[in-house]
Coordinates of all heavy atoms in Angstrom, one line a residue:
M10 N 168.9 132.8 109.7 CA 170.1 132.7 109.4 C 170.3 132.9 107.8 O 169.4 132.6 107.1 CB 170.7 131.3 109.6 CG 172.2 131.3 109.2 SD 173.1 129.7 109.5 CE 172.2 128.8 110.9
T11 N 171.3 133.7 107.6 CA 171.4 134.1 106.1 C 172.6 133.2 105.5 O 173.7 133.2 106.2 CB 171.8 135.5 105.9 OG1 170.8 136.4 106.6 CG2 172.0 135.9 104.6
D12 N 172.5 132.6 104.5 CA 173.5 131.9 103.7 C 174.4 133.0 102.9 O 173.9 133.6 102.0 CB 172.9 131.0 102.6 CG 173.9 130.2 102.0 OD1 175.1 130.3 102.1 OD2 173.5 129.2 101.2
T13 N 175.5 133.2 103.6 CA 176.4 134.3 103.0 C 176.9 134.0 101.6 O 177.5 135.0 101.0 CB 177.4 134.7 103.9 OG1 178.3 133.5 104.2 CG2 176.9 135.3 105.3
S14 N 176.9 132.8 101.1 CA 177.3 132.6 99.8 C 176.5 132.9 98.7 O 176.7 132.8 97.5 CB 177.7 131.1 99.8 OG 176.6 130.2 99.8
R15 N 175.2 133.4 99.2 CA 174.1 133.7 98.2 C 173.8 135.1 98.4 O 173.9 135.7 99.4 CB 172.9 132.7 98.3 CG 173.2 131.4 98.0 CD 172.0 130.6 98.2 NE 172.2 129.1 98.0 CZ 171.4 128.3 97.6 NH1 170.1 128.6 97.5 NH2 171.7 127.0 97.4
Q16 N 173.2 135.6 97.4 CA 172.8 136.9 97.4 C 171.4 137.2 98.0 O 170.4 136.3 97.9 CB 172.5 137.7 95.8 CG 172.2 139.1 96.0 CD 172.1 139.6 94.5 OE1 172.3 138.8 93.6 NE2 171.7 140.8 94.3
V17 N 171.3 138.1 99.0 CA 170.1 138.4 99.7 C 169.1 139.1 98.8 O 169.4 140.0 98.2 CB 170.2 139.1 101.0 CG1 169.0 139.5 101.8 CG2 171.3 138.4 101.8
P18 N 167.7 138.6 98.8 CA 166.8 139.3 97.8 C 166.6 140.8 98.3 O 166.7 141.0 99.4 CB 165.6 138.4 97.9 CG 165.8 137.6 99.2 CD 167.2 137.5 99.5
S19 N 166.2 141.6 97.4 CA 165.8 142.9 97.8 C 164.4 142.9 98.4 O 163.6 142.0 98.1 CB 165.8 143.7 96.5 OG 164.8 143.3 95.6
P20 N 164.1 143.9 99.2 CA 162.8 144.0 99.8 C 161.6 143.9 98.9 O 161.8 144.6 97.8 CB 162.9 145.2 100.6 CG 164.3 145.6 100.7 CD 165.0 145.0 99.5
S21 N 160.6 143.3 99.1 CA 159.5 143.4 98.2 C 158.5 144.4 98.6 O 157.6 144.6 97.8 CB 158.7 142.0 98.3 OG 159.6 141.0 97.9
A22 N 158.6 144.9 99.8 CA 157.5 146.0 100.2 C 158.2 146.8 101.4 O 159.1 146.4 102.1 CB 156.3 145.3 100.8
A23 N 157.8 148.0 101.4 CA 158.2 148.9 102.4 C 157.4 148.7 103.7 O 156.2 148.4 103.6 CB 158.1 150.4 102.0
A24 N 157.9 148.7 104.8 CA 157.2 148.5 106.1 C 157.8 149.3 107.2 O 159.0 149.9 107.0 CB 157.2 147.0 106.4
W25 N 157.1 149.4 108.3 CA 157.6 150.1 109.5 C 157.5 149.3 110.7 O 156.5 148.6 110.9 CB 156.8 151.4 109.7 CG 156.8 152.3 108.4 CD1 155.9 152.2 107.3 CD2 157.7 153.3 108.2 NE1 156.4 153.0 106.3 CE2 157.5 153.8 106.8 CE3 158.8 153.8 108.8 CZ2 158.2 154.8 106.2 CZ3 159.5 154.9 108.2 CH2 159.3 155.3 107.0
L26 N 158.7 149.3 111.5 CA 158.8 148.6 112.7 C 158.4 149.4 113.9 O 159.0 150.4 114.0 CB 160.1 147.9 113.0 CG 160.3 147.1 114.2 CD1 159.4 145.9 114.3 CD2 161.7 146.9 114.3
V27 N 157.2 149.1 114.5 CA 156.8 150.0 115.6 C 156.9 149.2 116.9 O 156.4 148.1 117.0 CB 155.3 150.5 115.4 CG1 154.8 151.3 116.5 CG2 154.9 151.0 114.1
D28 N 157.9 149.7 117.7 CA 158.4 149.0 118.9 C 157.4 149.6 120.2 O 157.8 150.7 120.6 CB 159.8 149.1 119.2 CG 160.3 148.3 120.3 OD1 159.5 147.5 120.9 OD2 161.5 148.4 120.6
L29 N 156.6 148.8 120.7 CA 155.8 149.1 121.9 C 156.3 148.6 123.1 O 155.7 148.6 124.1 CB 154.2 148.7 121.6 CG 153.6 149.2 120.5 CD1 152.2 148.5 120.4 CD2 153.5 150.7 120.5
A30 N 157.6 148.5 123.2 CA 158.4 148.1 124.4 C 158.2 149.0 125.4 O 158.4 148.7 126.6 CB 159.8 147.7 124.0
V31 N 158.1 150.3 125.1 CA 157.9 151.4 126.1 C 156.9 151.1 127.0 O 156.7 151.6 128.1 CB 157.9 152.7 125.4 CG1 159.2 153.2 124.7 CG2 156.6 152.9 124.5
A32 N 155.8 150.4 126.6 CA 154.6 150.0 127.2 C 154.5 148.6 127.6 O 153.5 147.9 127.8 CB 153.3 150.5 126.6
D33 N 155.7 147.9 127.6 CA 155.8 146.4 127.7 C 155.0 145.7 126.8 O 154.4 144.6 127.1 CB 155.4 146.1 129.2 CG 156.2 146.6 130.2 OD1 157.4 146.8 130.1 OD2 155.8 146.9 131.4
G34 N 154.9 146.2 125.5 CA 154.1 145.5 124.6 C 155.0 144.9 123.4 O 156.3 145.0 123.6
P35 N 154.5 144.3 122.4 CA 155.3 143.7 121.3 C 155.7 144.8 120.2 O 155.4 145.9 120.4 CB 154.3 142.7 120.7 CG 153.1 143.4 120.9 CD 153.1 144.1 122.3
S36 N 156.4 144.2 119.2 CA 156.7 145.1 118.1 C 155.9 144.7 117.0 O 155.5 143.4 116.9 CB 158.2 144.8 117.7 OG 159.0 145.4 118.8
F37 N 155.5 145.7 116.2 CA 154.6 145.2 115.1 C 155.3 145.8 113.7 O 155.9 147.0 113.7 CB 153.3 146.1 115.2 CG 152.2 145.6 116.2 CD1 152.4 146.1 117.5 CD2 151.4 144.8 115.8 CE1 151.6 145.8 118.5 CE2 150.5 144.3 116.9 CZ 150.6 144.8 118.2
V38 N 155.3 145.0 112.8 CA 155.7 145.3 111.4 C 154.4 145.7 110.5 O 153.5 144.9 110.5 CB 156.4 144.2 110.7 CG1 156.8 144.7 109.3 CG2 157.8 143.9 111.5
V39 N 154.3 147.0 110.1 CA 153.2 147.5 109.4 C 153.5 147.9 108.1 O 154.4 148.7 107.8 CB 152.6 148.7 110.2 CG1 151.3 149.2 109.6 CG2 152.2 148.5 111.7
M40 N 152.8 147.2 107.1 CA 153.2 147.5 105.7 C 152.3 148.7 105.2 O 151.3 148.6 105.0 CB 153.0 146.3 104.8 CG 154.0 145.1 105.2 SD 153.7 143.7 104.5 CE 153.5 144.1 102.7
R41 N 153.1 149.8 105.0 CA 152.5 151.1 104.6 C 153.5 151.9 103.9 O 154.7 151.7 104.1 CB 151.9 151.9 105.6 CG 150.6 151.4 106.4 CD 149.4 151.3 105.4 NE 148.2 150.9 106.1 CZ 147.8 149.6 106.3 NH1 148.6 148.7 105.9 NH2 146.7 149.4 106.8
L42 N 153.1 152.8 103.0 CA 154.0 153.6 102.2 C 154.9 154.6 103.1 O 156.0 154.9 102.8 CB 153.3 154.3 101.2 CG 152.8 153.4 100.0 CD1 152.1 154.2 99.0 CD2 154.0 152.6 99.4
N43 N 154.2 155.1 104.1 CA 154.9 156.1 104.9 C 154.6 156.0 106.5 O 153.7 155.1 106.8 CB 154.5 157.6 104.5 CG 153.1 157.9 104.6 OD1 152.6 157.7 105.8 ND2 152.5 158.4 103.6
E44 N 155.5 156.5 107.3 CA 155.4 156.3 108.8 C 154.1 156.8 109.3 O 153.5 156.1 110.2 CB 156.6 157.1 109.4 CG 156.5 156.8 110.9 CD 157.6 157.7 111.6 OE1 158.7 158.0 110.9 OE2 157.5 158.0 112.8
A45 N 153.5 157.9 108.9 CA 152.3 158.4 109.4 C 151.1 157.4 109.2 O 150.4 157.0 110.0 CB 152.0 159.7 108.8
A46 N 151.1 156.7 107.9 CA 150.1 155.8 107.5 C 150.2 154.7 108.5 O 149.2 154.0 108.8 CB 150.1 155.5 106.1
A47 N 151.5 154.2 108.6 CA 151.7 153.0 109.5 C 151.2 153.2 111.0 O 150.6 152.2 111.5 CB 153.2 152.7 109.5
R48 N 151.5 154.4 111.6 CA 151.0 154.7 112.7 C 149.4 154.7 112.9 O 148.9 154.1 113.8 CB 151.6 156.0 113.3 CG 153.0 155.8 113.6 CD 153.4 157.3 114.1 NE 155.0 157.4 114.4 CZ 155.5 157.1 115.5 NH1 154.9 156.6 116.6 NH2 156.9 157.2 115.7
E49 N 148.8 155.3 111.9 CA 147.3 155.3 111.9 C 146.8 153.9 111.8 O 145.8 153.5 112.5 CB 147.0 156.2 110.7 CG 147.2 157.7 110.8 CD 146.7 158.4 109.6 OE1 145.9 157.9 108.8 OE2 147.1 159.5 109.5
A50 N 147.4 153.1 110.9 CA 146.9 151.7 110.8 C 147.1 150.9 112.2 O 146.2 150.2 112.4 CB 147.6 151.0 109.6
L51 N 148.2 151.2 112.8 CA 148.4 150.3 114.0 C 147.4 150.9 115.1 O 146.9 150.0 115.9 CB 149.9 150.6 114.5 CG 150.1 149.8 115.7 CD1 149.8 148.3 115.6 CD2 151.6 149.9 116.1
V52 N 147.1 152.2 115.2 CA 146.2 152.8 116.2 C 144.8 152.1 115.9 O 144.2 151.5 116.9 CB 146.1 154.2 116.1 CG1 144.9 154.8 116.7 CG2 147.3 154.9 116.5
A53 N 144.4 151.9 114.6 CA 143.1 151.3 114.3 C 143.0 149.9 114.8 O 142.1 149.4 115.3 CB 142.8 151.5 112.9
H54 N 144.2 149.2 114.4 CA 144.2 147.8 114.8 C 144.2 147.6 116.4 O 143.5 146.7 116.8 CB 145.6 147.2 114.3 CG 145.8 145.6 114.7 ND1 145.0 144.7 114.1 CD2 146.7 145.1 115.5 CE1 145.4 143.6 114.7 NE2 146.5 143.8 115.5
L55 N 144.9 148.4 117.1 CA 144.9 148.2 118.5 C 143.5 148.4 119.1 O 143.2 147.8 120.1 CB 146.0 149.1 119.2 CG 147.5 148.8 118.9 CD1 148.3 149.9 119.4 CD2 147.9 147.4 119.5
V56 N 142.8 149.4 118.6 CA 141.4 149.7 119.2 C 140.6 148.5 118.7 O 139.8 148.1 119.4 CB 141.0 151.0 118.4 CG1 139.4 151.1 118.8 CG2 141.7 152.1 119.0
E57 N 140.9 148.0 117.5 CA 139.9 146.9 117.0 C 140.0 145.6 117.8 O 139.0 145.0 118.0 CB 140.2 146.6 115.5 CG 139.4 145.6 114.8 CD 139.8 145.4 113.4 OE1 139.9 146.4 112.6 OE2 139.8 144.2 113.0
I58 N 141.2 145.4 118.2 CA 141.4 144.1 118.9 C 141.3 144.4 120.4 O 141.6 143.5 121.3 CB 142.9 143.4 118.6 CG1 143.9 144.4 119.1 CG2 142.9 143.1 117.2 CD1 145.4 143.7 119.1
D59 N 140.8 145.5 120.9 CA 140.6 145.9 122.4 C 141.9 145.7 123.1 O 141.9 145.4 124.3 CB 139.6 145.0 122.9 CG 138.2 145.3 122.4 OD1 137.9 146.5 122.0 OD2 137.4 144.3 122.2
A60 N 143.0 146.1 122.5 CA 144.3 146.1 123.3 C 144.5 147.4 124.2 O 145.3 147.4 125.0 CB 145.6 146.0 122.3
V61 N 143.7 148.4 123.7 CA 143.7 149.7 124.4 C 142.4 150.1 124.6 O 141.4 149.7 124.0 CB 144.5 150.8 123.7 CG1 146.0 150.5 123.6 CG2 144.0 150.9 122.3
A62 N 142.1 151.0 125.6 CA 140.7 151.5 125.9 C 140.0 152.2 124.8 O 138.9 152.0 124.6 CB 140.7 152.3 127.1
D63 N 140.8 153.1 124.1 CA 140.2 153.9 123.1 C 141.1 154.4 122.2 O 142.4 154.2 122.3 CB 139.3 155.1 123.8 CG 140.2 156.0 124.7 OD1 141.3 156.2 124.4 OD2 139.6 156.6 125.5
E64 N 140.7 155.2 121.2 CA 141.6 155.7 120.1 C 142.6 156.7 120.7 O 143.7 156.8 120.2 CB 140.9 156.4 119.0 CG 141.7 156.6 117.8 CD 140.9 157.2 116.6 OE1 139.7 156.9 116.4 OE2 141.4 157.9 115.8
V65 N 142.2 157.6 121.7 CA 143.2 158.5 122.2 C 144.3 157.8 122.9 O 145.5 158.2 122.8 CB 142.4 159.4 123.2 CG1 143.3 160.4 123.9 CG2 141.4 160.3 122.4
A66 N 144.0 156.8 123.6 CA 145.0 156.0 124.3 C 146.0 155.3 123.3 O 147.1 155.3 123.5 CB 144.4 154.9 125.2
A67 N 145.4 154.8 122.2 CA 146.2 154.1 121.2 C 147.1 155.2 120.6 O 148.3 154.9 120.2 CB 145.3 153.4 120.2
K68 N 146.7 156.4 120.3 CA 147.4 157.4 119.6 C 148.5 157.8 120.5 O 149.7 158.1 120.0 CB 146.6 158.6 119.2 CG 145.6 158.4 118.0 CD 144.9 159.7 117.7 CE 144.1 159.3 116.4 NZ 143.4 160.5 116.0
D69 N 148.3 157.9 121.9 CA 149.4 158.2 122.7 C 150.4 157.1 122.8 O 151.6 157.4 122.8 CB 148.8 158.5 124.2 CG 147.9 159.8 124.3 OD1 148.0 160.6 123.4 OD2 147.2 159.8 125.2
L70 N 150.1 155.8 122.8 CA 150.8 154.7 122.9 C 151.7 154.6 121.6 O 153.0 154.6 121.6 CB 150.1 153.5 123.1 CG 150.9 152.2 123.1 CD1 151.9 152.1 124.1 CD2 150.0 151.0 123.0
V71 N 151.1 154.7 120.4 CA 151.8 154.7 119.2 C 152.7 155.9 118.9 O 153.8 155.8 118.4 CB 150.8 154.3 118.0 CG1 151.5 154.3 116.7 CG2 150.1 153.0 118.2
G72 N 152.2 157.0 119.4 CA 153.0 158.2 119.2 C 154.2 158.2 120.0 O 155.2 158.9 119.4
A73 N 154.2 157.6 121.0 CA 155.6 157.6 121.9 C 156.4 156.5 121.5 O 157.7 156.4 121.9 CB 155.2 157.4 123.3
A74 N 156.1 155.5 120.6 CA 157.0 154.4 120.2 C 157.9 154.8 119.2 O 157.6 155.5 118.2 CB 156.0 153.2 119.7
P75 N 159.2 154.2 119.3 CA 160.0 154.5 118.3 C 159.7 153.7 117.0 O 159.1 152.5 117.1 CB 161.4 153.9 118.8 CG 160.9 153.1 120.1 CD 159.6 153.5 120.4
V76 N 160.0 154.2 115.8 CA 159.6 153.6 114.6 C 160.9 153.6 113.6 O 161.6 154.5 113.7 CB 158.4 154.4 113.9 CG1 158.1 153.7 112.5 CG2 157.2 154.2 114.8
E77 N 161.0 152.5 112.9 CA 162.0 152.5 112.0 C 161.6 151.8 110.5 O 160.7 150.9 110.8 CB 163.4 151.8 112.5 CG 163.2 150.3 112.7 CD 164.5 149.7 113.3 OE1 165.3 149.4 112.4 OE2 164.6 149.8 114.5
S78 N 162.2 152.3 109.6 CA 161.9 151.7 108.3 C 162.5 150.4 108.1 O 163.6 150.2 108.4 CB 162.2 152.6 107.2 OG 162.1 152.0 106.0
V79 N 161.8 149.2 107.6 CA 162.3 148.0 107.4 C 161.7 147.5 106.1 O 160.7 148.0 105.5 CB 161.9 146.9 108.5 CG1 162.4 147.3 109.8 CG2 160.3 146.8 108.6
G80 N 162.4 146.7 105.4 CA 162.0 146.0 104.2 C 161.5 144.6 104.5 O 161.9 144.0 105.5
V81 N 160.4 144.3 103.8 CA 159.9 142.9 103.9 C 160.1 142.2 102.7 O 159.8 142.7 101.5 CB 158.3 143.1 104.2 CG1 157.7 141.8 104.2 CG2 158.0 143.9 105.4
V82 N 160.5 140.9 102.9 CA 160.7 139.9 101.8 C 159.8 138.7 102.0 O 159.7 138.2 103.0 CB 162.2 139.5 101.8 CG1 162.4 138.5 100.5 CG2 163.1 140.6 101.5
W83 N 159.1 138.5 100.8 CA 158.3 137.1 100.9 C 158.4 136.3 99.6 O 158.9 136.8 98.7 CB 156.8 137.5 101.3 CG 156.1 138.3 100.2 CD1 155.6 137.8 99.0 CD2 155.7 139.7 100.3 NE1 155.0 138.8 98.4 CE2 155.0 140.0 99.1 CE3 156.0 140.7 101.2 CZ2 154.7 141.2 98.8 CZ3 155.5 141.9 100.8 CH2 154.9 142.3 99.7

């Protein structure tokens, strides 16, 4: 909830929201400078945690997912 009587802080970092709902998966917020780097980082993460069979499957999954730029405040 946002207290509308106060100013909302500016984003502290650039990030990308990758929505894996197309494959009944969760959404991930990946902090990277550009979309391509965010997709690559998510592919590596999905392979590392054994969420997908291999890198090719991860690239297909992440490549089909919608991505949007988001700001992160901490």
Side-chain angles (χ1 to χ4, degrees):
M10 181 183 331
T11 303
D12 182 354
T13 56
S14 66
R15 297 182 181 203
Q16 183 177 358
V17 177
S19 62
S21 298
W25 301 89
L26 176 67
V27 183
D28 186 3
L29 298 181
V31 294
D33 296 325
S36 294
F37 289 87
V38 175
V39 184
M40 294 174 54
R41 292 293 185 274
L42 292 177
N43 60 56
E44 181 181 337
R48 287 184 187 269
E49 288 177 23
L51 183 55
V52 165
H54 177 69
L55 293 174
V56 171
E57 184 178 315
I58 65 170
D59 292 326
V61 292
D63 56 27
E64 189 172 336
V65 173
K68 284 183 179 181
D69 290 343
L70 175 64
V71 174
V76 175
E77 67 180 271
S78 176
V79 294
V81 176
V82 177
W83 66 80

